[in-house]
């Protein structure tokens, strides 16, 4: 079968001009914030202390008004307001699924939109965030992959997704109130729109802010980055972020994976698996999650299950089986429940955890692989999509 989908979309990237007007403090690293404060007159000897104070107001208390930063002198707060802003993406729409899943359509600079999903569970609350407007890749089973890449999100736009979700959940602590250890937003997954490792620096810097112990305080073990297999950046992720890793795997032969995840043509299974064997040791992660979408008659046979076990031998791993979430014009169908259970049983008997993911938010198109912003939605026929997938 010929594979017609390109590895990545043909994209012309135009450098973005820095926005005019006051500088946004959201998304700056501590060093960047220190330099910015010194540039507007903060004495160098005070700059580190001022960064610590402002950082806590922004990321611990969720404060958006300099006037409320009461441990800073009034004239210093006025100076901050004259030179800086505290700006987050704009929530355009908020939908709530029958199962409690929340989907936010978020507008960023330039009028572009991305989707963010919050998934409540009994023991955690997971926020699925986006890293690009559209997607660099062209995975044929993914709705987001049919939307062309517009641009990478900035560090501020990535961190901002976490902050607006905490706004909606009412989760910022109240000064003077007893400390509440319960976290409604306890986990982050970089599984929204885009390929995070094609926006590495901004993703890395945003996750460092998320993990900062004096701010959002999310453990690196509660952050999972999902990649389709950008091999050169996986080692950097282990060294520079150290979060948990998930691989959008989906195929047990290069022929099938080329068709489902075309980036496999650049970095085939042998290259991908070689770098994955080193990841847990470098990042000190417990195990890697292999994401495997179940597609009827494509990758769901007993032989596929046995090949999968052989491929990941020696890698501490969990296999997440994902029933295909259908979308308008999708060229695939979901495997039957019986077939998925049989596949899971083979994996489990080989000694690997093999949970079957319960689809969440399907009624609001918030499930895995369904995200696609309204303004960038391309109107493709089922025949067009099938042709691009090589079907």
């Amino acid at each position: 079968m010929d594979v017609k989908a390109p590895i990545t979309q043909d994209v012309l990237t135009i450098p973005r001009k820095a926005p005019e007007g006051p500088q946004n403090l959201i998304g700056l690293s501590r060093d960047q914030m220190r330099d910015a404060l010194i540039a507007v007159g903060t004495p160098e000897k005070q700059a580190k202390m001022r960064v610590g104070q402002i950082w806590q107001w922004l990321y611990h208390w969720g404060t958006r008004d300099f006037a409320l930063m009461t441990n800073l002198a009034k004239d210093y707060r006025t100076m901050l307001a004259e030179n800086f802003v505290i700006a987050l993406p704009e929530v355009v729409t908020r939908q709530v699924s029958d199962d409690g899943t929340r989907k936010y359509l978020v507008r960023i600079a330039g009028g572009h939109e991305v989707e963010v999903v919050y998934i409540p569970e009994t023991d955690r609350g997971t926020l699925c965030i986006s890293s690009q407007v559209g997607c660099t890749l062209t995975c044929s089973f993914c709705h987001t992959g049919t939307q062309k890449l517009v641009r990478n999100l900035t560090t501020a736009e990535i961190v901002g997704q976490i902050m607006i979700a905490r706004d909606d959940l009412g989760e910022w602590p109240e000064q003077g109130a007893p400390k509440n250890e319960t976290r409604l937003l306890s986990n982050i997954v970089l599984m929204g729109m885009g390929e995070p490792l094609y926006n590495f620096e901004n993703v890395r810097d945003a996750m460092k802010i998320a993990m900062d112990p004096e701010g959002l305080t999310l453990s690196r073990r509660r952050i999972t980055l999902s990649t389709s297999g950008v091999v050169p950046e996986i080692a950097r992720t282990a060294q520079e972020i150290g979060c948990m890793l998930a691989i959008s795997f989906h195929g047990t032969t290069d022929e099938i994976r080329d068709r489902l995840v075309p980036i496999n043509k650049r970095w085939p299974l042998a290259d991908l698996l070689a770098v994955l064997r080193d990841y847990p040791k470098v990042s000190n992660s417990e195990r890697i999650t292999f994401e495997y979408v179940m597609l009827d008659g494509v990758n769901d046979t007993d032989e596929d299950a046995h090949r999968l076990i052989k491929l990941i031998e020696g890698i501490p791993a969990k296999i997440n089986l994902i029933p295909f979430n259908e979308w308008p014009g999708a060229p695939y169908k979901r495997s039957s429940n019986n077939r998925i259970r049989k596949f899971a049983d083979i994996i489990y008997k080989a000694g690997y955890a093999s949970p079957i993911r319960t689809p969440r938010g399907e009624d609001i198109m918030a499930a895995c692989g369904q995200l696609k912003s309204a303004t960038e939605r391309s109107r493709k026929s089922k025949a067009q999509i099938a042709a691009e997938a090589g079907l």
Side-chain angles (χ1 to χ4, degrees):
M1 178 180 295
D2 293 333
V3 179
K4 299 178 183 178
I7 298 172
T8 60
Q9 294 165 354
D10 184 13
V11 176
L12 174 64
T13 303
I14 301 173
R16 296 182 63 233
K17 292 182 179 179
E20 297 180 1
Q23 186 174 12
N24 188 9
L25 290 182
I26 300 297
L28 297 183
S29 68
R30 286 180 177 268
D31 287 343
Q32 289 169 335
M33 191 181 294
R34 179 182 179 275
D35 292 344
L37 294 178
I38 291 172
V40 296
T42 302
E44 287 193 31
K45 290 184 178 180
Q46 296 181 14
K48 184 177 179 181
M49 177 185 68
R50 296 300 181 216
V51 168
Q53 292 170 317
I54 295 168
W55 194 273
Q56 190 174 51
W57 283 113
L58 295 178
Y59 298 119
H60 177 73
W61 300 112
T63 302
R64 309 290 158 75
D65 186 346
F66 293 112
L68 300 177
M69 299 182 180
T70 51
N71 60 350
L72 300 173
K74 190 173 182 180
D75 59 346
Y76 192 76
R77 285 179 266 162
T78 300
M79 183 275 291
L80 290 175
E82 290 171 350
N83 290 279
F84 302 105
V85 293
I86 303 168
L88 301 183
E90 173 195 358
V91 178
V92 180
T93 61
R94 170 185 177 274
Q95 293 175 274
V96 182
S97 169
D98 292 340
D99 62 21
T101 298
R102 305 184 188 195
K103 183 172 78 169
Y104 311 97
L105 181 65
V106 172
R107 182 171 295 140
I108 58 174
H112 304 298
E113 294 170 352
V114 295
E115 292 183 328
V116 188
V117 176
Y118 172 74
I119 306 164
E121 298 178 79
T122 54
D123 60 342
R124 71 183 66 188
T126 301
L127 188 70
C128 179
I129 62 178
S130 295
S131 57
Q132 296 179 315
V133 186
C135 188
T136 322
L137 305 180
T138 54
C139 301
S140 60
F141 59 87
C142 181
H143 199 204
T144 314
T146 67
Q147 174 182 317
K148 289 186 177 181
L149 175 69
V150 178
R151 69 168 173 86
N152 287 334
L153 298 189
T154 65
T155 302
E157 290 162 347
I158 297 169
V159 173
Q161 295 173 62
I162 305 170
M163 298 177 75
I164 60 177
R166 292 197 73 181
D167 286 351
D168 187 49
L169 295 167
E171 198 175 20
W172 299 107
E174 293 183 26
Q175 294 188 56
K179 188 175 182 180
N180 186 353
E181 297 292 347
T182 303
R183 296 291 294 266
L184 296 175
L185 197 168
S186 62
N187 293 62
I188 292 173
V189 292
L190 285 143
M191 297 182 184
M193 297 168 63
E195 166 53 66
L197 296 190
Y198 275 142
N199 187 16
F200 182 85
E201 285 79 10
N202 288 333
V203 166
R204 175 199 61 203
D205 294 348
M207 292 307 99
K208 286 186 174 181
I209 292 172
M211 293 185 287
D212 191 288
E214 296 179 13
L216 296 170
T217 63
L218 283 157
S219 163
R220 65 181 181 83
R221 292 185 180 276
R222 290 189 172 271
I223 296 173
T224 301
L225 184 150
S226 175
T227 176
S228 293
V230 185
V231 166
E233 304 297 343
I234 290 175
R236 287 186 72 192
T237 302
Q239 295 163 357
E240 299 180 35
I241 305 176
C243 61
M244 306 301 284
L245 188 72
I247 298 297
S248 192
F249 204 68
H250 312 308
T252 60
T253 67
D254 282 321
E255 179 185 5
I256 292 298
R257 198 163 188 271
D258 283 352
R259 171 178 155 195
L260 298 178
V261 189
I263 196 175
N264 192 73
K265 290 181 279 184
R266 182 170 294 169
W267 294 295
L269 285 170
D271 296 342
L272 176 60
L273 290 163
V275 75
L276 293 182
R277 293 184 193 284
D278 292 331
Y279 190 90
K281 293 176 284 187
V282 177
S283 67
N284 198 29
S285 298
E286 295 175 355
R287 59 186 176 182
I288 292 173
T289 298
F290 286 79
E291 298 166 311
Y292 198 94
V293 65
M294 300 297 294
L295 302 171
D296 182 39
V298 177
N299 64 351
D300 62 350
T301 66
D302 289 358
E303 290 75 16
D304 283 305
H306 289 296
R307 272 196 300 268
L308 178 58
I309 293 163
K310 187 68 176 175
L311 286 171
I312 65 173
E313 187 175 359
I315 301 175
K318 174 177 82 169
I319 316 300
N320 253 355
L321 300 179
I322 307 169
F324 176 57
N325 298 307
E326 297 187 21
W327 38 270
Y332 302 108
K333 292 183 179 180
R334 177 183 295 182
S335 302
S336 70
N337 291 337
N338 287 340
R339 178 93 296 269
I340 296 173
R341 283 194 290 267
K342 180 69 182 298
F343 196 100
D345 189 54
I346 293 171
I347 302 295
Y348 178 75
K349 286 179 178 176
Y352 294 96
S354 55
I356 300 170
R357 184 181 296 175
T358 302
R360 299 292 299 273
E362 284 186 293
D363 55 319
I364 56 171
M365 288 287 285
C368 181
Q370 289 184 324
L371 301 188
K372 188 167 183 180
S373 65
T375 57
E376 307 292 344
R377 196 180 301 273
S378 60
R379 305 295 182 182
K380 294 185 179 180
S381 69
K382 188 167 184 176
Q384 284 175 302
I385 294 168
E388 290 177 4
L391 301 177

